Amino acid sequence: MTTDLNTLVTALYVKIDDWLGAPGTPARIGRPPKLTDAELLTLAIAQALLGIRSETRWLRFLPVHLPGAFPYLPGQSGYNKRLRASLPLIQRAIRALARDTDLWTDPVWVVDSTPVECGSRPTVQRSELAGWAGYGYCRSHSRFFWGLRLHLVCTPAGLPITWALATPKLDERQVLMAVLDHDPHLLIERPGLLIIADKGYVSAGLDAYLAERGVHLLRPSYRNRAPRPGEQFLKPIRQLIESVNDTLKGQLDLELHGGRSPLGVAVRIAQRILALTAAVWHNRATGQPITRSLIAYDH
């Protein structure tokens, strides 16, 4: 591993271990595992940053390239089971790291959804994901796909605020309202928040929902309508979330997750969002010039 990744792994372990031991954090019930939760989360982040999708290869890689860092490593089956069981923990860790940056209070959010393919046509009927995943259309690439959509809300710097996985048949506007209803304190903490979205979020219902909560929405105007105030600034800012999606797909292999069940897909997507959040957290803390850059950690 590179020096930069070693530094990130060490800082992450210390931060996560302190967070898990802080007052008010839910305590683990039962006998402590040989691989602690802090070690598990650190392993999951490093695996995603290095782009090693095979868990078996990852567990072979560690003793050679990071000898002695983890006193105990489970087998592939045990690691996989721990990861799948840790989805709530990963979700809490994403939020904890995000809150530990000055970007958390950014008064501007960018929202979009992107396809997460889950299988080819021959696998559709026999997949455990049938009934959750479905067929959708990707406007950016003008193609149909079978899988899910990742709905991501982030800051312009790329820090994930909240996210959801949903069948592509669900309306983006309905998913956004459901996500915000699930975490109502996010809006309460940010009076005067501005959300930037694309034309997929054009809806009088969504406009009214956000206006009731004191949120401003900047998006393209309806067809044959006068441009909305500030619309001329929309395009360059909208490109920011495209670059975040490109980071998740191009560097963190979002679409090569390998999940075959709802829980398997969800935890692998969460693992990649956690890795992105960890990189942003560390870059911000160490004063790196590019907040969302993963180059220092991917080799």
Side-chain angles (χ1 to χ4, degrees), residues 81-282:
K81 288 179 181 177
R82 281 291 302 279
L83 270 182
R84 284 185 294 168
S86 69
L87 179 58
L89 178 64
I90 291 175
Q91 291 171 319
R92 297 202 311 271
I94 293 170
R95 182 62 56 84
L97 287 176
R99 280 185 173 275
D100 196 44
T101 74
D102 59 332
L103 297 172
W104 176 255
T105 56
D106 196 311
V108 180
W109 287 354
V110 188
V111 59
D112 197 10
S113 69
T114 190
V116 178
E117 295 194 38
C118 295
S120 58
R121 186 178 181 84
T123 68
V124 170
Q125 295 300 322
R126 63 175 184 269
S127 173
E128 291 184 39
L129 296 167
W132 182 32
Y135 284 105
Y137 183 73
C138 177
R139 294 188 299 270
S140 300
H141 298 91
S142 302
R143 62 179 174 85
F144 288 93
F145 68 94
W146 190 81
L148 302 162
R149 293 194 78 93
L150 171 63
H151 299 259
L152 180 65
V153 178
C154 65
T155 69
L159 179 74
I161 296 293
T162 187
W163 58 282
L165 282 171
T167 174
K169 298 186 183 300
L170 286 179
D171 190 295
E172 292 174 307
R173 297 159 293 192
Q174 297 296 324
V175 174
L176 175 59
M177 288 188 282
V179 167
L180 296 178
D181 280 340
H182 181 71
D183 271 343
H185 65 279
L186 290 176
L187 300 184
I188 295 172
E189 293 173 354
R190 296 168 177 81
L193 176 70
L194 172 65
I195 296 181
I196 299 171
D198 66 9
K199 61 184 179 182
Y201 293 85
V202 173
S203 164
L206 177 60
D207 290 349
Y209 172 91
L210 294 175
E212 288 174 2
R213 290 157 179 80
V215 178
H216 305 285
L217 179 64
L218 179 58
R219 55 158 178 78
S221 57
Y222 290 100
R223 291 181 181 179
N224 304 320
R225 298 286 182 87
R228 293 165 63 91
E231 191 172 333
Q232 68 272 22
F233 304 113
L234 185 60
K235 187 174 181 180
I237 301 176
R238 278 284 309 128
Q239 291 173 345
L240 292 170
I241 194 147
E242 294 296 337
S243 66
V244 176
N245 289 335
D246 185 65
T247 298
L248 286 168
K249 292 186 174 185
Q251 297 186 61
L252 293 173
D253 298 328
L254 182 75
E255 293 189 304
L256 300 175
H257 50 78
R260 296 183 177 86
S261 66
L263 181 57
V265 172
V267 76
R268 285 168 172 82
I269 300 304
Q271 179 185 6
R272 285 152 174 81
I273 294 174
L274 176 60
L276 174 62
T277 307
V280 172
W281 168 81
H282 191 255

Side-chain angles (χ1 to χ4, degrees), residues 9 12-13 16-17 19-20 28 33-48 55 58-59 62 69-91 93 267 270-271 274-275:
V9 166
L12 270 174
Y13 174 77
I16 293 172
D17 192 52
W19 165 63
L20 289 174
R28 168 178 280 276
K34 292 183 179 180
L35 183 73
T36 67
D37 286 339
E39 291 172 330
L40 176 69
L41 291 176
T42 304
L43 281 175
I45 291 168
Q47 180 187 3
E55 293 169 350
W58 174 234
L59 294 171
L62 282 167
F70 298 93
Y72 170 80
L73 288 175
Q76 184 276 333
S77 178
Y79 179 61
N80 181 271
K81 288 179 181 177
R82 281 291 302 279
L83 270 182
R84 284 185 294 168
S86 69
L87 179 58
L89 178 64
I90 291 175
Q91 291 171 319
V267 76
Q271 179 185 6
L274 176 60

